[in-house]
């Protein structure tokens, strides 16, 4: 099996669903803007602040091995990817996709505000050079997976070929997630070492 060919085929099938990608991108943009607007409101401030504090503690300034951080980040993103792809097994399950993407976008917007308003210079630096680019790259992978799920939902059958195709799509997109998380690890080492331990 030619890995590059399979990856190209996977991405081309996702890119064919332009309307789906545009609609979900708009949804993400709306979620992000709402997160920006309501981050400081009492019902949501504490939640976003805790997310940011955990990000600093468990990722940016963690005293654990960056390889352990890498595994945790890959596992978390893989769980989201799996949820989105499994939603493509039936049209009724597709409702989970906008919920997941909107939640990620909303917390993304809220955390961006908290990084700049509460963590000042350090928060702004982390947000611009670390948090934002990695989050956007992962969202790109999730958008592709959502397009694939929307494309297969109507005709999906529990037969060997289609289940295998679903598994292959998961593994291919997981490789993209791994690449993004490796980039995150390299940035962690480059920007925050020796604060974050390499081993």
């Amino acid at each position: 099996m030619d890995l590059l060919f399979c990856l190209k085929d996977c991405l081309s099938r996702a890119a064919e669903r332009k309307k789906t990608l545009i609609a979900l991108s708009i949804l993400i943009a709306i979620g992000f803007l709402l997160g920006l607007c309501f981050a400081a409101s009492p019902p949501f401030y504490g939640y976003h602040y805790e997310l940011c504090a955990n990000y600093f503690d468990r990722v940016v300034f963690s005293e654990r091995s960056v390889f352990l951080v890498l595994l945790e980040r890959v596992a978390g993103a893989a769980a989201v990817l799996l949820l989105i792809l499994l939603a493509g097994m039936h049209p009724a399950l597709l409702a989970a996709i906008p919920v997941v993407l909107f939640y990620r976008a909303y917390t993304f917007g809220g955390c961006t505000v908290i990084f700049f308003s509460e963590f000042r210079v350090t928060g702004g630096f982390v947000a611009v050079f670390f948090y934002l680019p990695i989050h956007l790259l992962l969202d790109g992978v999730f958008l592709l997976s959502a397009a694939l799920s929307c494309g297969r939902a109507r005709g999906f059958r529990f037969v060997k070929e289609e289940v295998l195709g679903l598994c292959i799509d998961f593994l291919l997109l997981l490789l993209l997630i791994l690449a993004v998380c490796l980039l995150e690890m390299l940035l962690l080492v480059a920007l925050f070492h020796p604060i974050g331990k390499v081993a």
Side-chain angles (χ1 to χ4, degrees), residues 20-33 80-81 83-85 94-109 135-136 138-147 149-150:
T20 301
L21 292 172
I22 292 172
L24 291 176
S25 296
I26 292 173
L27 177 70
I28 289 174
I30 291 172
F32 179 75
L33 291 174
V80 176
L81 173 64
L83 176 62
I84 292 174
L85 286 177
L94 291 178
I97 293 177
V99 173
V100 171
L101 294 180
F102 183 84
Y103 169 78
R104 278 184 55 82
Y106 183 81
T107 55
F108 181 36
H135 200 289
L136 289 173
L138 288 176
D139 276 349
V141 177
F142 296 144
L143 269 176
L144 294 174
S145 65
S149 288
C150 291

Side-chain angles (χ1 to χ4, degrees), residues 55 73 104 108 112 124-141 180-181 183-184 187 191:
Y55 187 77
R73 299 285 287 166
R104 278 184 55 82
F108 181 36
T112 300
F125 180 83
V126 168
V128 171
F129 295 103
F130 200 65
Y131 179 73
L132 271 68
I134 298 301
H135 200 289
L136 289 173
L137 288 171
L138 288 176
D139 276 349
V141 177
V180 173
C181 292
L183 173 61
E184 182 180 53
L187 287 172
L191 300 177

Side-chain angles (χ1 to χ4, degrees), residues 99-123:
V99 173
V100 171
L101 294 180
F102 183 84
Y103 169 78
R104 278 184 55 82
Y106 183 81
T107 55
F108 181 36
C111 288
T112 300
V113 171
I114 300 300
F115 274 126
F116 283 97
S117 64
E118 297 298 327
F119 295 93
R120 306 298 179 182
V121 176
T122 302

Side-chain angles (χ1 to χ4, degrees), residues 30-116:
I30 291 172
F32 179 75
L33 291 174
L34 289 175
L36 291 177
C37 293
F38 294 104
S41 60
F44 305 109
Y45 173 83
Y47 180 70
H48 285 123
Y49 184 90
E50 186 176 348
L51 288 177
C52 292
N54 286 338
Y55 187 77
F56 272 110
D57 183 57
R58 297 187 60 82
V59 179
V60 181
F61 297 137
S62 175
E63 296 185 356
R64 300 171 302 153
S65 164
V66 290
F67 295 107
L68 180 58
V69 173
L70 170 68
L71 291 177
E72 288 184 351
R73 299 285 287 166
V74 170
V80 176
L81 173 64
L82 183 60
L83 176 62
I84 292 174
L85 286 177
L86 289 179
M89 297 173 74
H90 192 279
L93 298 176
L94 291 178
I97 293 177
V99 173
V100 171
L101 294 180
F102 183 84
Y103 169 78
R104 278 184 55 82
Y106 183 81
T107 55
F108 181 36
C111 288
T112 300
V113 171
I114 300 300
F115 274 126
F116 283 97

Side-chain angles (χ1 to χ4, degrees), residues 151-189:
R152 69 162 42 100
R154 282 189 182 278
F156 184 83
R157 296 170 299 161
F158 286 93
V159 296
K160 180 180 178 181
E161 292 77 11
E162 297 199 20
V163 172
L164 181 60
L166 178 64
C167 293
I168 290 174
D169 283 348
F170 173 75
L171 293 175
L172 291 172
L173 293 174
L174 184 61
L175 286 177
L176 295 181
I177 285 175
L178 179 60
V180 173
C181 292
L182 279 171
L183 173 61
E184 182 180 53
M185 186 187 77
L186 293 174
L187 287 172
L188 178 64
V189 173

